[in-house]
Amino acid sequence: VIRNRMAVSVAGNVIMVASLFLLLIPGRDFMPKMDEGAWVISTAASPETSLEENDRITSMIEQILMSNPNVEKVIRRNGRSERAIGCVLPVNSGEIIVNLVPRGRRTASVDVIKKEVRDRIEKIPGVAVAFTQPLQLKIDESMEGTPAPLQVKIFGNDPAELQSEGVKLRNIMRETAGLADVNLNQAAGIPQLQIRIDREAAASYGISVGNISEVIRLAAGGEEVTRVWVDQRSYGVFVRAEAEQRNDAEAIGRLLIDAPDGRKIPLSQVADIELTEGPNVIWREAMSRMTNINASIEKGSLSGIVSEIAEKIRDAGIAKNFRVVFAGQYENQQRAMKALGYASVLALIAVFAIIYLVLGTLSESLIILLTAPSALIGGIISLLLFGETINVSSGVGFIAVFGIAIENSLVLFSQTREFLEKGYEKNEAIKLASTDRLRPKLMTVLCTVLALIPILFANSAGSEIEKPLAIVLTGGLATSTLFTLLILPAFYMAVEDLKNKRRAK
């Protein structure tokens, strides 16, 4: 390679530049896909669903789960206390924790098991479900406030139009390959009883608006009026009208209001009572009305799916006065990759400064930096062979192998300096340095690769997080070692030839 150094240098640089374009091929995710051996299934029935009906629906889901031989345990929670404060789950929601049998006893892969269960659950009318995993759920909720791996938010002013655009986007996402459990935030109307006090009629009886409101509040809503101690325990005494007096509009209309002259006036004579429909919930973020669509990612990469949805949104012509934002893991992935990018740039500057201080020449420092990306070639090819994506784990692997490549190059040049100081010519010095460092470099690489093999083929819980890092390190070390031993010496001598020609001129 030293005899053909110019051709080898050109070929090596062409390969490195081409490898940078390979970075566009793998998909991009925030974290590697994991199999935690457990699921968290969130359920949501229609907004007006009672706690009893919600319990019946989730009980059916529980039976479906327990009938699967790959499910070991199911824990179910429905709704909340009627007067709970600060509780996230409404009455029509539920949460089911599913523990799968150990991997060695499963009759199918986790994806096949999930598809079988999901297909059966989707046949239950009136309920939407979303699958996630316990650790993944905690990470997503703590970092982004949503349990969904992918969340698409739509911001606008008009609630009706916002809901309409949300339905359009939900349909787009349901047609996108790789997505599952696509659900639009429930903003459907719920029944409400509206009571409008007729002030003129109330004044004719001498009844104040405050008195009427107080009767309605106590009779329909109720109030804790006192507390009673029994056997060292305190119990609240809650007072409100009996169920038959507040279950419908007619019953509430028959509530009696005390007039100043002692007469009992039915509520219907001093108020208009009608059953209407009101909003179930109004979501806001950053002072703007919002609705969102949540989805799970079953196949494909996060970045590829988001790009496809964004293209379909443009083709569908979502109204211009609405703003669409991709959140969930996608936002975390963008933030993490940006942080890794900044860290890489700062690391390059610091490394270049250190190399320059050690070698003292600008040309040799630049040669090391220019050939260091050779580590990317093997890392990218390995990711493609193993079907992995570029994520936080593999990103850390790229940074690590990049540092190892620079270290090996620096050692080679330091060894070359030693031979030059002993009186060898540059051509002979780089040859001796390359052959002299061959065994230590191969030993270092083999030790690292052999140590990574158990991680590459591990199948235990949590091994998916470390696997992309090991894949990148193994492939990157292979190519960076070849480049350091072969391409770098040729590139070094080619640069020296150009410097000599320039000095001769």
Side-chain angles (χ1 to χ4, degrees), residues 4-16 487 491 494:
N4 301 282
R5 46 183 168 261
M6 193 57 70
V8 171
S9 299
V10 172
N13 282 283
V14 168
I15 292 172
M16 280 193 292
I487 308 298
F491 194 39

Side-chain angles (χ1 to χ4, degrees), residues 12 15-23 26 371-390 394 397-402 405 445 449 452 456 467-484:
I15 292 172
M16 280 193 292
V17 172
S19 70
L20 296 178
F21 289 98
L22 288 176
L23 280 170
T371 55
S374 61
L376 299 177
I377 301 172
I380 298 167
I381 293 174
S382 299
L383 285 178
L384 294 173
L385 290 175
F386 278 85
E388 289 287 344
T389 60
I390 296 176
S394 56
F398 277 118
I399 293 175
V401 77
F402 195 80
V445 170
V449 171
L452 292 172
L456 285 174
K467 192 170 290 186
L469 184 146
I471 290 171
V472 170
L473 276 175
T474 304
L477 285 174
T479 55
S480 68
T481 302
L482 289 174
F483 266 69
T484 303

Side-chain angles (χ1 to χ4, degrees), residues 11 93 256 325-326 456 476 489:
S93 296
L256 299 178
V325 174
F326 292 93
L456 285 174

Side-chain angles (χ1 to χ4, degrees), residues 39 109-122 131 298-299:
W39 301 328
S109 67
V110 68
D111 292 332
V112 173
I113 299 169
K114 188 185 293 184
K115 186 179 184 306
E116 290 175 356
V117 171
R118 181 184 281 118
D119 289 344
R120 293 185 63 187
I121 292 175
E122 286 178 349
F131 284 73
E298 294 298 310
K299 294 180 181 177

